[in-house]
Amino acid sequence: MKPFYITTPIYYVNDKPHIGHAYASLACDVMARFKRLSGEEAFFLTGTDEHGQKIEKSAEKAGMSPQAFCDMNAALFKDLTKAMNFSNNDFIRTTEERHKKGAQHFWKVIEKHIYLDKYAGWYAVRDEAYYQEDELKKLQPGENGAPAWAKDLEKGDTERARAGQIKLFAPATGAEVEWVEEESYFFKLSEFTKPLLEFYEKNPSFVQPESRFNEVKRFVETGLKDLSISRTTFKWGIPVPGDEKHVIYVWLDALVNYITAIGYPNMDNQWPADVHVIGKDILRFHAVFWPAFLMAANLPLPKKIVATGWWTNEGQKISKSLGNVIDPLKLIEEFGLDQTRYFLMREIPFGNDGNFSRDRMITVINSELANTIGNLCQRTLGFINKNCGGILPNGSLNSETSHITNPYHKLGFGSTYPIYSEVVNKCKFDFAIEIAWGLANRANQYIDEQAPWTLKKTDPQKMEEVLYILTESIRQIGILLQPFIPQSAAKILVAVGYPEAQANKGIPFSELSTPIKPGTPLPAPTPVFPRFQETAK
Ligand code: MSP
């Protein structure tokens, strides 16, 4: 059977990884883990984008050869996959032989849609993108960055910019553009305007969120221009087969990673991808250029493109020049791995822009993880350990208490999973966490209401029932949280009696509907989520 195939963008190695990179990959990891625990096979691909002028320039600045520079930084991205506990099945680097061969083969396959001409226009090295003149704004001499008050172009501005007197930039990304005039191969993108619009029409959920899909459609509806797909003014790229003074345009090179990683031209059975997770800034490349390239190569198109929003840092745009880049390794070091994973998935509805705030992160860690989930485990399981000899007492689920273990109890027993699964499949990760966290919140209210410490004296049988329900609730929470916080969820599951090896491998969601057995031995609990305490600097 075809596995569920999910990909991250491949990351430029001009610098070390930051929160934006960790974020898209984390979403893919959650989805891949979710699929596997649902009984499906999942193939999760990530990697690095290593060619192009931007990398060549960065290597030069670092005084290194491009390859050595790429090796150094690609290693950091690989390390990040380990540090974030990503379950990727492969990691592709575009400087690998398997990729270069595949990319050149792809070029030959689409060759009948390619012609040689001359490109004269604007190019942003930072975005590795071509821009039309009417997309540009200007800065006055002495100004930097891409302020909101940037001005429209006036007569004579493009000449002035070409003479270096003023700077032009692409307002969408803030990247500065430069004038490029060179021989170039072009892809007949214009031929694909109609086929693409027809495809969008037939596949109304091709791009998510929907608002972004509308942007894509509007762009294509204006009519596509042919796309320059080779460069001659620098060397760091994959040579165009048969004309080695050209290197393949880095975006064509990068996009084909999704197929070269799985063996193109002799692909395994993963293609087409089920989901390409990308950032909103690179939607045009994925929802317009990539499908057109695939159509030209007669290959099936990916099923879905999901665009993430962008993180700001304490309300400010994240940028190297502002010095406010968030290093995911630092977050892990300070707050813990699963705390970081939880916060990133919990804080903003996936697809929206969101703000990173240190105070919010501490609040979420302390209130949701430490006080709600951690405390529930500690109070319940600590109590059982102390008062019931570490053996789960007698009890069963019944209609009176089903709302504790199942927030959707009104829909019937076992109805948590269908809803949870629906929201994860729609990438509503914050909602999925809310379901699990909601269970913990409810269970904490229940323990306070029932006060097992009092029942111990007044009604020991009721106390046993209460403890049983609470433990089952913890088991449900542990199972549901596995894709998000795999290590901590495994700890929770060990605490409710699963053997360590089994818990570490993952407890399938099918086990949600088999309640825990009374009499299960429960080990003495160890705290899962310590409270975060600010240390004096
Ligand atoms: N190499 C291309 C992608 C090629 S995919 C065939 C690229 N690389 S990138 O390293 O610049 O960006 C990778 C991803 O990080 C993009 O999806 C981008 O949206 C994302 N992010 C960069 N900054 C971000 C934030 N501040 N917040 C969230 N994601 C952001 O583009």
Side-chain angles (χ1 to χ4, degrees):
M1 214 175 88
K2 176 193 170 316
F4 176 84
Y5 181 25
I6 186 160
T7 67
T8 73
I10 51 170
Y11 303 110
Y12 286 131
V13 288
N14 59 308
D15 210 342
K16 60 183 191 173
H18 62 63
I19 197 172
H21 306 129
Y23 184 58
S25 296
L26 174 59
C28 292
D29 185 57
V30 166
M31 188 61 104
R33 286 176 184 273
F34 161 77
K35 289 287 176 185
R36 294 185 194 117
L37 293 168
S38 299
E40 276 181 60
E41 198 191 328
F43 190 87
F44 163 21
L45 175 70
T46 185
T48 41
D49 190 353
E50 305 192 5
H51 290 126
Q53 209 172 357
K54 166 151 106 172
I55 309 289
E56 194 184 75
K57 280 190 172 174
S58 306
E60 213 176 87
K61 220 169 133 195
M64 294 172 81
S65 76
Q67 189 61 60
F69 181 74
C70 289
D71 290 346
M72 175 181 81
N73 281 343
L76 301 179
F77 282 88
K78 266 196 181 160
D79 290 348
L80 182 72
T81 64
K82 304 275 174 312
M84 290 288 298
N85 193 13
F86 293 151
S87 61
N88 52 299
N89 299 80
D90 201 347
F91 186 104
I92 182 140
R93 298 183 53 190
T94 54
T95 48
E96 283 169 350
E97 241 2 84
R98 60 171 171 160
H99 174 75
K100 291 195 246 176
K101 277 203 191 119
Q104 288 183 324
H105 184 92
F106 189 84
W107 179 284
K108 286 201 217 124
V109 169
I110 62 167
E111 211 153 34
K112 59 176 181 299
H113 302 276
I114 296 175
Y115 61 92
L116 187 63
D117 202 344
K118 194 174 160 204
Y119 179 78
W122 300 97
Y123 191 79
V125 176
R126 206 180 82 193
D127 299 345
E128 296 286 15
Y130 300 94
Y131 286 98
Q132 306 292 330
E133 213 146 271
D134 59 11
E135 292 178 287
L136 303 177
K137 301 255 182 200
K138 72 171 167 179
L139 292 176
Q140 300 295 355
E143 291 169 355
N144 253 315
W149 39 264
K151 295 166 195 70
D152 289 337
L153 301 196
E154 290 161 317
K155 202 163 173 286
D157 277 344
T158 48
E159 289 71 22
R160 276 194 282 280
R162 280 164 67 176
Q165 291 158 359
I166 55 167
K167 288 177 183 173
L168 302 187
F169 65 91
T173 61
E176 194 181 325
V177 294
E178 60 186 38
W179 182 256
V180 171
E181 248 182 76
E182 60 186 335
E183 184 185 87
S184 174
Y185 285 96
F186 281 78
F187 174 71
K188 294 181 192 165
L189 185 62
S190 55
E191 284 179 353
F192 292 90
T193 305
K194 211 167 148 241
L196 281 171
L197 290 172
E198 279 165 11
F199 173 78
Y200 300 152
E201 183 77 34
K202 282 199 202 106
N203 296 275
S205 51
F206 179 56
V207 174
Q208 277 171 4
E210 210 178 308
S211 56
R212 301 221 189 278
F213 198 9
N214 294 335
E215 284 165 29
V216 168
K217 288 186 215 160
R218 276 199 299 274
F219 171 70
V220 177
E221 275 159 9
T222 59
L224 295 169
K225 297 199 172 59
D226 290 349
L227 180 70
S228 158
I229 52 163
S230 77
R231 304 284 318 266
T232 51
T233 42
F234 64 95
K235 284 270 147 295
W236 186 238
I238 302 176
V240 166
D243 193 353
E244 310 239 320
K245 68 175 187 296
H246 289 254
V247 293
I248 300 177
Y249 172 41
V250 65
W251 266 101
L252 172 55
D253 167 347
L255 288 162
V256 295
N257 92 86
Y258 301 131
I259 55 176
T260 59
I262 50 172
Y264 181 79
N266 303 306
M267 280 193 273
D268 296 335
N269 63 348
Q270 294 95 334
W271 194 255
D274 291 85
V275 184
H276 291 315
V277 173
I278 56 158
K280 63 177 183 180
D281 54 318
I282 55 174
L283 185 54
R284 201 180 276 188
F285 299 96
H286 283 82
V288 182
F289 301 169
W290 180 224
F293 294 150
L294 287 166
M295 283 176 180
N298 254 324
L299 285 170
L301 305 199
K303 292 192 195 147
K304 199 175 283 181
I305 314 252
V306 177
T308 72
W310 270 45
W311 285 88
T312 50
N313 186 359
E314 310 288 353
Q316 265 192 325
K317 186 175 178 326
I318 295 179
S319 90
K320 240 196 319 185
S321 52
L322 288 175
N324 64 350
V325 175
I326 301 172
D327 178 349
L329 296 178
K330 291 231 170 82
L331 291 183
I332 296 172
E333 195 190 327
E334 184 170 16
F335 298 103
L337 167 61
D338 281 342
Q339 284 82 347
T340 303
R341 289 179 58 116
Y342 184 92
F343 179 74
L344 292 178
M345 289 289 100
R346 169 67 163 152
E347 182 64 358
I348 53 174
F350 200 66
N352 290 10
D353 290 331
N355 181 42
F356 178 89
S357 137
R358 190 187 153 80
D359 287 349
R360 264 298 293 162
M361 181 154 180
I362 295 171
T363 304
V364 169
I365 290 174
N366 285 343
S367 80
E368 300 201 358
L369 290 177
N371 288 359
T372 308
I373 301 173
N375 214 6
L376 171 70
C377 297
Q378 204 53 35
R379 315 210 258 175
T380 308
L381 303 170
F383 189 89
I384 295 177
N385 221 267
K386 220 162 130 206
N387 299 289
C388 312
I391 303 288
L392 178 66
N394 261 327
S396 61
L397 300 176
N398 56 54
S399 55
E400 253 169 69
T401 51
S402 58
H403 65 285
I404 312 295
T405 52
N406 177 3
Y408 301 101
H409 62 105
K410 290 204 179 106
L411 301 173
F413 180 70
S415 49
T416 301
Y417 179 70
I419 292 175
Y420 170 85
S421 121
E422 193 185 320
V423 298
V424 179
N425 275 318
K426 288 188 176 151
C427 297
K428 296 186 173 176
F429 301 121
D430 59 321
F431 193 162
I433 290 182
E434 175 84 32
I435 293 175
W437 176 80
L439 278 175
N441 208 19
R442 234 170 257 265
N444 273 324
Q445 279 167 21
Y446 183 65
I447 197 168
D448 288 341
E449 277 158 29
Q450 299 295 328
W453 43 92
T454 311
L455 290 173
K456 190 178 160 208
K457 287 173 223 131
T458 56
D459 189 350
Q461 199 191 333
K462 178 79 182 162
M463 172 199 80
E464 292 199 346
E465 259 171 47
V466 168
L467 293 173
Y468 175 85
I469 304 261
L470 289 168
T471 309
E472 172 57 12
S473 195
I474 294 171
R475 193 187 71 95
Q476 300 267 333
I477 293 163
I479 294 179
L480 294 174
L481 286 176
Q482 290 178 103
F484 299 93
I485 48 171
Q487 288 177 356
S488 310
K491 253 180 152 181
I492 294 174
L493 292 168
V494 166
V496 294
Y498 283 102
E500 202 166 324
Q502 209 183 330
N504 286 336
K505 228 175 108 209
I507 304 300
F509 293 127
S510 55
E511 292 231 355
L512 283 168
S513 49
T514 313
I516 189 166
K517 284 198 181 61
T520 303
L522 304 177
T526 47
V528 202
F529 300 113
R531 266 188 80 76
F532 178 83
Q533 305 250 328
E534 196 81 75
T535 45
K537 289 222 173 94

